[in-house]
Amino acid sequence: MQTDFIYEALPTRVIFGEGKLDQLLPEIERLGAKRALVLSTPQQEAWAQQIAEQLGTASAGVFAGATMHTPVTVTLKAMEHVKASGADCLVALGGGSTIGLAKAIAVRTGLPQIAVPTTYAGSEMTPILGQTENGIKTTIRQPVIQPKAVIYDVNLTLTLPVGMSATSGLNAMAHAVEGLYAQDRNPIISLIAEDGIRAMAYALPIIAQSPQDKEARLQAQYGAWLCGICLGSAGMALHHKLCHVLGGSFDLPHAETHAIMLPHTAAYNTPNAGEAMSRAARALGTDDAGHGLWQLAKNINAPMALKDIGMTQADIEKALDIALKNPYWNPRPLEAEGLRGLLERAWAGEPPRP
């Protein structure tokens, strides 16, 4: 048992259950806000407009320009919209891209946020912002970045495509896997992480076969919530470092990158994080966490190779160089030869090896 740690609970209000979107206006009022700007991606603009209309006089309109990796250029455009609309509150409808934009605005303005996730990214539970500028993705951690409230309504996930359900679910699981061996881990977060992994491992294969299964969708939302808490409370290590490099420097899709990399980073760390990986394996119902995650991804038809999502083989050395320049803390030292092999296998879609 771990006996030396610090535990700090993050102050987010969670509203969970079917039909809970109708609590959005009361939550805005609870914050003392009067004009909420609804944020979304271009693909979800019609949905955002519908919600803005339902808010009536409490709406400050819609900004539908969110995109992956939270480019600073997009944030600056959104800031102009915030100023012109007179918004005193932000509502983020969508996944990590939209929630990231709300966080980027909040850290610059102090405006409170309400997250309404439609995927399983889990970023709604963290005080962490990842943003990209000049091809480099960096992270900021501040209390103002944490959404004040999160509304989990299972009905908002029923139209989430199976492929996106798989990748965003594996993305969430990455937060929990790293939470088990992160430098700031603690017994409470380890319990939450194991249950989050277990919930996702149960839900994702069912969703892959029966996308309208509401019970499985609820389990996946529950898992996303728990996994997000892990990221917000216990920090990051090798996995997130590599994914930030791959996403920010090569513009690879965020969730797909996490899904591909997770089995390989888990396998890399297994020799130096045996207890943590044993807990992850137990939650997955397998003897080996890296292989279990790889098999789960394969079973739910998630992408398996970086070469299939836009990375060239020539990019491997550049990615390795960037990753080694400013490494995160990690239970296993970052060794060039080992990381090169990890990236080569992830690029090719081969099974992970410790």
Side-chain angles (χ1 to χ4, degrees), residues 273-320:
E275 181 183 353
M277 292 298 95
S278 292
R279 296 188 73 153
R282 180 170 63 196
L284 291 162
T286 184
D287 294 330
D288 180 84
H291 180 75
L293 288 163
W294 191 81
Q295 192 62 52
L296 173 63
K298 186 176 181 181
N299 290 346
I300 60 178
N301 295 315
M304 305 296 290
L306 294 174
K307 67 180 181 180
D308 295 335
I309 61 169
M311 186 175 179
T312 69
Q313 192 168 16
D315 291 333
I316 292 174
E317 285 301 318
K318 182 180 177 182
L320 179 64

Side-chain angles (χ1 to χ4, degrees), residues 179-209:
L180 286 168
Y181 58 68
Q183 192 172 25
D184 296 329
R185 68 193 182 279
N186 60 70
I188 300 300
I189 292 304
S190 294
L191 289 170
I192 292 172
E194 190 170 346
D195 206 32
I197 295 168
R198 185 179 294 109
M200 277 297 185
Y202 164 82
L204 293 179
I206 298 175
I207 292 170
Q209 297 297 320

Side-chain angles (χ1 to χ4, degrees), residues 41-344:
T41 60
Q43 294 81 7
Q44 293 183 306
E45 182 174 8
W47 204 351
Q49 291 286 359
Q50 182 182 348
I51 289 175
E53 290 172 7
Q54 291 171 353
L55 291 177
T57 58
S59 169
V62 170
F63 179 82
T67 190
M68 66 179 183
H69 306 308
T70 318
V72 171
T73 53
V74 172
T75 301
L76 295 178
K77 291 179 183 177
M79 291 285 292
E80 295 175 2
H81 200 92
V82 169
K83 184 176 180 180
S85 69
D88 60 359
C89 175
L90 305 168
V91 173
L93 172 75
S97 296
T98 305
I99 293 166
L101 176 60
K103 290 178 172 183
I105 296 171
V107 81
R108 290 166 171 82
T109 64
L111 291 179
Q113 313 157 63
I114 299 173
V116 185
T118 61
T119 71
Y120 307 127
S123 61
E124 63 276 1
M125 294 304 301
T126 80
I128 301 167
L129 164 65
Q131 58 184 356
T132 304
E133 187 172 20
N134 299 322
I136 301 296
K137 190 167 186 177
T138 57
T139 58
I140 304 171
R141 183 187 181 102
Q142 293 183 19
V144 71
I145 294 171
Q146 181 93 25
K148 298 295 185 184
V150 179
I151 297 176
Y152 289 104
D153 185 337
V154 68
N155 293 335
L156 303 181
T157 68
L158 294 177
T159 57
L160 185 66
V162 167
M164 195 175 296
S165 299
T167 54
S168 70
L170 289 166
N171 180 13
M173 291 177 79
H175 309 330
V177 171
E178 289 228 304
L180 286 168
Y181 58 68
Q183 192 172 25
D184 296 329
R185 68 193 182 279
N186 60 70
I188 300 300
I189 292 304
S190 294
L191 289 170
I192 292 172
E194 190 170 346
D195 206 32
I197 295 168
R198 185 179 294 109
M200 277 297 185
Y202 164 82
L204 293 179
I206 298 175
I207 292 170
Q209 297 297 320
S210 304
Q212 296 298 304
D213 190 308
K214 197 168 288 187
E215 173 58 30
R217 292 283 188 182
L218 278 165
Q219 282 290 315
Q221 276 195 317
Y222 171 73
W225 171 23
L226 299 188
C227 293
I229 291 174
C230 297
L231 177 60
S233 301
M236 296 176 282
L238 171 65
H239 173 84
H240 283 82
K241 174 63 177 182
L242 287 179
C243 288
H244 285 172
V245 169
L246 295 172
S249 300
F250 304 101
D251 202 33
L252 301 187
H254 180 83
E256 288 86 343
T257 302
H258 277 271
I260 293 167
M261 293 301 295
L262 179 57
H264 299 278
T265 54
Y268 181 91
N269 280 324
T270 293
N272 295 66
E275 181 183 353
M277 292 298 95
S278 292
R279 296 188 73 153
R282 180 170 63 196
L284 291 162
T286 184
D287 294 330
D288 180 84
H291 180 75
L293 288 163
W294 191 81
Q295 192 62 52
L296 173 63
K298 186 176 181 181
N299 290 346
I300 60 178
N301 295 315
M304 305 296 290
L306 294 174
K307 67 180 181 180
D308 295 335
I309 61 169
M311 186 175 179
T312 69
Q313 192 168 16
D315 291 333
I316 292 174
E317 285 301 318
K318 182 180 177 182
L320 179 64
D321 182 58
I322 297 171
L324 290 173
K325 278 183 178 177
N326 295 293
Y328 287 7
W329 180 91
N330 194 63
R332 177 180 171 184
L334 303 192
E335 304 153 354
E337 183 178 353
L339 289 181
R340 183 180 290 107
L342 182 162
L343 287 167
E344 288 173 348

